[in-house]
Amino acid sequence: MALIELKNVRKVYKQGDLEVEVLKGIDLTVEKGEFISIVGPSGSGKSTLMYILGCLDRPTSGEYYLDGKDVLKLPDDELSKLRAEYIGFVFQAFYLIPYLTVLDNVLLPVEYLPKEERKRRFSDKPPQKKAVELLTRLGIGDRIGFKPEELSGGQKQRTAIARALINSPEIILADEPTGQLDTESSREVMRIFEELHSEGRTVIVVTHDMEIAKHAQRIVKIRDGRVVE
């Protein structure tokens, strides 16, 4: 059974009396442990697809199964739990809370886990210890008390990656994760994703940059709301 399966997924946005079809029947299967890139130009629908994959938005029609669960039949509270348990997000804009330290930013997703699930995932070590270990592994263990404004772009993205990993999710979903980084920082971030994939994580990177996309095992090209290759 595939970890992710989309069948004929469509997304229509209404703008007054006008309907804009952004996704036009997407079929996509992702196996557990795959590393894929979703590539397309601006306006192709790839960000809309990412939000649907991340359970942050619902399609207008079609089917979405995540680890065998029918996502579209879940109420919002169950969808939030599924998102917290299965998916770690890494965004281009980082979305770090400016008044929190690096450590506290990384610990944020823990608060969204159901109580019993939190106990299970952190039975071997407390969240704070795991967060420090993640930050140390990512090379910014000496920045745990810093605020985001005191970090470089690469350090902010490493903080965001640690935040994505804190709950040990099945899937790392990254939207243009190198879009605000210089070349060297971009290479380092992609090296981290490659390491995570080698450890068995499922990694999905959404990008417009073919050089970034080439780090993946498989490239899915999307254009005008359709998978074209």
Side-chain angles (χ1 to χ4, degrees):
M1 180 178 65
L3 181 60
I4 288 173
E5 189 171 10
L6 300 184
K7 297 180 180 180
N8 197 28
V9 164
R10 297 176 181 272
K11 182 66 179 182
V12 177
Y13 290 104
K14 289 190 175 182
Q15 299 176 349
D17 294 331
L18 184 66
E19 289 191 345
V20 179
E21 190 175 27
V22 180
L23 298 182
K24 303 173 182 177
I26 297 286
D27 294 309
L28 178 65
T29 299
V30 181
E31 301 294 338
K32 185 175 181 178
E34 266 199 292
F35 183 179
I36 77 166
S37 290
I38 298 174
V39 182
S42 178
S44 62
K46 63 184 186 299
S47 291
T48 299
L49 177 58
M50 188 217 71
Y51 275 87
I52 289 172
L53 287 170
C55 302
L56 294 168
D57 195 7
R58 296 177 185 263
T60 305
S61 63
E63 299 174 66
Y64 177 15
Y65 297 95
L66 175 56
D67 201 17
K69 299 174 178 65
D70 190 341
V71 171
L72 305 188
K73 290 184 178 178
L74 296 177
D76 287 345
D77 59 336
E78 290 297 318
L79 198 62
S80 294
K81 290 178 184 177
L82 190 74
R83 189 165 57 237
E85 291 172 20
Y86 275 87
I87 302 168
F89 294 96
V90 180
F91 296 101
Q92 176 180 352
F94 314 129
Y95 294 127
L96 302 176
I97 307 299
Y99 56 83
L100 295 181
T101 64
V102 165
L103 181 61
D104 288 337
N105 267 284
V106 171
L107 288 169
L108 269 178
V110 179
E111 300 302 316
Y112 294 95
L113 281 176
K115 189 174 181 179
E116 291 305 312
E117 186 65 20
R118 191 185 308 175
K119 285 182 180 178
R120 185 181 72 81
R121 295 202 179 208
F122 296 98
S123 59
D124 58 335
K125 67 183 67 173
Q128 186 159 339
K129 183 177 180 181
K130 182 176 179 182
V132 171
E133 288 178 357
L134 282 170
L135 289 164
T136 300
R137 174 188 171 186
L138 292 170
I140 52 171
D142 59 344
R143 297 289 191 271
I144 61 173
F146 285 42
K147 300 287 180 62
E149 65 182 16
E150 301 173 286
L151 305 177
S152 68
Q155 290 168 341
K156 288 177 183 177
Q157 197 58 292
R158 292 185 197 197
T159 301
I161 292 170
R163 181 183 59 193
L165 292 172
I166 189 66
N167 285 345
S168 301
E170 289 272 354
I171 302 162
I172 302 298
L173 187 54
D175 184 23
E176 300 283 6
T178 62
Q180 293 195 37
L181 304 182
D182 58 40
T183 301
E184 187 56 38
S185 295
S186 296
R187 287 176 182 153
E188 181 61 22
V189 164
M190 293 313 297
R191 184 189 64 76
I192 292 168
F193 287 141
E194 288 172 346
E195 283 185 6
L196 294 171
H197 168 244
S198 70
E199 294 167 4
R201 305 269 185 186
T202 303
V203 180
I204 303 173
V205 173
V206 179
T207 183
H208 68 278
D209 187 336
M210 280 303 299
E211 289 304 309
I212 295 299
K214 288 175 183 177
H215 288 265
Q217 285 178 308
R218 178 162 64 103
I219 297 175
V220 176
K221 292 184 180 179
I222 183 170
R223 186 179 299 120
D224 297 326
R226 293 185 173 90
V227 173
V228 295
E229 186 180 335

